[in-house]
């Protein structure tokens, strides 16, 4: 029970927020608003699952917003050229995987700090895309592109199923598979993990590539909601994703994070903006409240880290 203290704290905060909304603004729970909340935060949820694995290995990826934009434009351009939507989606997902693999290779094998690597790729991809598109949106998409040619309800149901499968499969892998334990071991103590036979470089490379693939998938599912594709998609997405993982209880120094905590973090941060609107509070407070929550989460983690170090010194 003690292990899940952070997750329980986030859960209780969500419960308190929901009770307040039930009391003061029950319209928040209208079916249309809940569906809109889900679709708006769906990309954050999918990518946050991958980011959890990256942070578990004591790394970070701030290029996901740019990768998201590249995959969105690739998806739109392929579809606008008459390529079937399914094939366009595969190409876009492959583009995301390649971008993630590039980050992973630079971090794992060339030992370039992940914050430096992904900052460079973030700028390069965003500016490269701006140069290629000249800021223009992708247009001329056929009727079978939007919603994958399905009804809105069918698309929403399929998207929800995909999100649940990703969350469940990743949580299962972290808890029950050797690969999941290797990820945790790599972030807890890389040298020790290497000594017991874990290929830590391959682990770091794989989590970056996996997150790139998830970013591509999130871009695909988000892009088909519209009949045009903006070239500046994903602006600020990296902050939302990292914030959700941090709020969900992940240790910023690696070695501890849970998918359950990440899901709760996405739910909490995703609901704040809409909740403020329904409560009649100026939406400008959203960023301030999110920032305060993130600061509390990171400060709590840092304090606990210092306490563990002090205990270790005393014990030694």
């Amino acid at each position: 029970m003690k292990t899940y203290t952070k997750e329980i704290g986030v859960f209780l905060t969500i419960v308190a927020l929901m009770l307040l909304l039930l009391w003061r603004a029950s319209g928040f729970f209208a079916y249309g608003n809940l569906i809109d909340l889900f679709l708006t935060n769906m990309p954050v949820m999918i990518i946050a699952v991958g980011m959890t694995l990256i942070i578990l290995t004591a790394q970070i990826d701030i290029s996901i917003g740019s990768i998201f934009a590249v995959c969105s434009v690739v998806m739109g351009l392929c579809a606008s050229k008459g390529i079937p939507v399914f094939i366009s989606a595969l190409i876009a997902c492959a583009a995301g995987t390649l971008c993630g693999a590039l980050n992973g290779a630079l971090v794992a094998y060339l030992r370039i700090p992940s914050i430096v690597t992904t900052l460079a790729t973030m700028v390069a991809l965003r500016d490269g895309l701006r140069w290629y598109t000249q800021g223009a949106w992708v247009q001329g998409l056929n009727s079978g592109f939007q919603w994958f040619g399905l009804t809105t309800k069918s698309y929403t149901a399929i998207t929800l199923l995909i999100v649940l499968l990703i969350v469940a499969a990743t949580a299962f892998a972290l808890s029950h598979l050797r690969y999941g334990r290797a990820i945790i071991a790599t972030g807890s103590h890389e040298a020790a993990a290497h000594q017991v036979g874990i290929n830590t470089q391959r682990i770091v490379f794989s989590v970056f590539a996996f997150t790139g693939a998830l970013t591509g998938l999130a871009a695909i599912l988000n892009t088909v909601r519209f009949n045009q594709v903006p070239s500046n998609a994903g602006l600020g997405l990296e902050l939302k994703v990292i914030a959700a993982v941090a709020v969900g209880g992940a240790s910023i120094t690696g070695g501890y994070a849970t998918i359950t905590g990440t899901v709760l973090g996405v739910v909490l941060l995703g609901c704040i903006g809409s909740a403020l609107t329904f409560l009649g509070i100026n939406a400008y407070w959203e960023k301030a409240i999110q920032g305060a929550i993130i600061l509390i989460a990171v400060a709590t983690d840092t304090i606990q880290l210092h306490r563990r170090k002090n205990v270790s010194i005393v014990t030694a």
Side-chain angles (χ1 to χ4, degrees):
M1 181 67 73
K2 186 178 179 180
T3 305
Y4 298 100
T5 301
K6 295 178 180 178
E7 290 83 349
I8 292 173
V10 178
F11 176 74
L12 292 178
T13 303
I14 294 173
V15 171
L17 178 62
M18 294 301 116
L19 291 175
L20 175 63
L21 288 166
L22 273 174
W23 176 43
R24 298 295 300 272
S26 58
F28 175 87
F29 299 97
Y31 175 78
N33 185 57
L34 295 179
I35 292 297
D36 183 62
L37 273 177
F38 166 68
L39 293 179
T40 301
N41 292 286
M42 169 267 297
V44 178
M45 182 70 81
I46 292 175
I47 302 171
V49 170
M51 184 63 73
T52 303
L53 305 186
I54 290 179
I55 291 179
L56 263 173
T57 61
Q59 306 294 342
I60 196 79
D61 186 347
I62 61 173
S63 68
I64 51 174
S66 298
I67 296 175
F68 184 88
V70 169
C71 295
S72 298
V73 171
V74 167
M75 174 77 176
L77 287 175
C78 290
S80 67
K81 301 294 182 186
I83 299 175
V85 174
F86 178 71
I87 303 298
S88 300
L90 289 179
I91 295 172
C93 198
T97 306
L98 285 175
C99 291
L102 173 62
N103 283 332
L106 293 172
V107 173
Y109 298 110
L110 295 185
R111 293 292 182 180
I112 302 174
S114 57
I115 185 72
V116 177
T117 298
T118 56
L119 175 63
T121 52
M122 177 185 74
V123 175
L125 291 174
R126 182 69 72 181
D127 285 351
L129 189 62
R130 187 179 296 119
W131 169 79
Y132 181 78
T133 62
Q134 295 296 302
W137 291 27
V138 180
Q139 299 177 327
L141 302 169
N142 60 49
S143 58
F145 179 83
Q146 193 170 16
W147 309 113
F148 289 123
L150 305 170
T151 63
T152 306
K153 285 187 177 180
S154 298
Y155 162 83
T156 303
I158 292 173
T159 302
L160 177 60
L161 179 61
I162 292 173
V163 172
L164 292 176
L165 285 174
I166 291 172
V167 169
T170 308
F172 177 83
L174 271 181
S175 302
H176 296 89
L177 299 186
R178 183 177 179 181
Y179 175 70
R181 292 192 289 272
I183 291 175
I184 297 172
T186 299
S188 299
H189 199 302
E190 184 174 359
H194 183 72
Q195 286 181 351
V196 298
I198 296 174
N199 189 332
T200 55
Q201 289 180 315
R202 186 180 298 170
I203 291 294
V204 172
F205 172 79
S206 66
V207 295
F208 273 94
F210 178 64
T211 304
L214 288 182
T215 304
L217 175 62
I220 293 163
L221 294 175
N222 183 69
T223 300
V224 298
R225 294 172 54 202
F226 312 98
N227 57 12
Q228 297 180 344
V229 181
S231 58
N232 62 348
L235 283 173
L237 180 61
E238 60 277 354
L239 294 179
K240 294 179 181 177
V241 170
I242 294 170
V245 178
V247 169
S251 172
I252 56 174
T253 54
Y256 180 81
T258 64
I259 299 300
T260 301
T262 295
V263 170
L264 293 172
V266 173
V267 171
L268 176 60
L269 294 184
C271 288
I272 287 178
S274 181
L276 291 178
T277 301
F278 277 90
L279 290 171
I281 300 173
N282 194 315
Y284 288 116
W285 281 100
E286 178 184 359
K287 298 298 181 186
I289 294 174
Q290 287 182 349
I293 293 174
I294 294 165
L295 184 61
I296 292 171
V298 174
T300 303
D301 181 59
T302 303
I303 292 170
Q304 290 179 344
L305 176 65
H306 286 310
R307 284 180 176 174
R308 285 197 296 270
K309 284 184 177 179
N310 291 334
V311 169
S312 299
I313 292 172
V314 172
T315 304

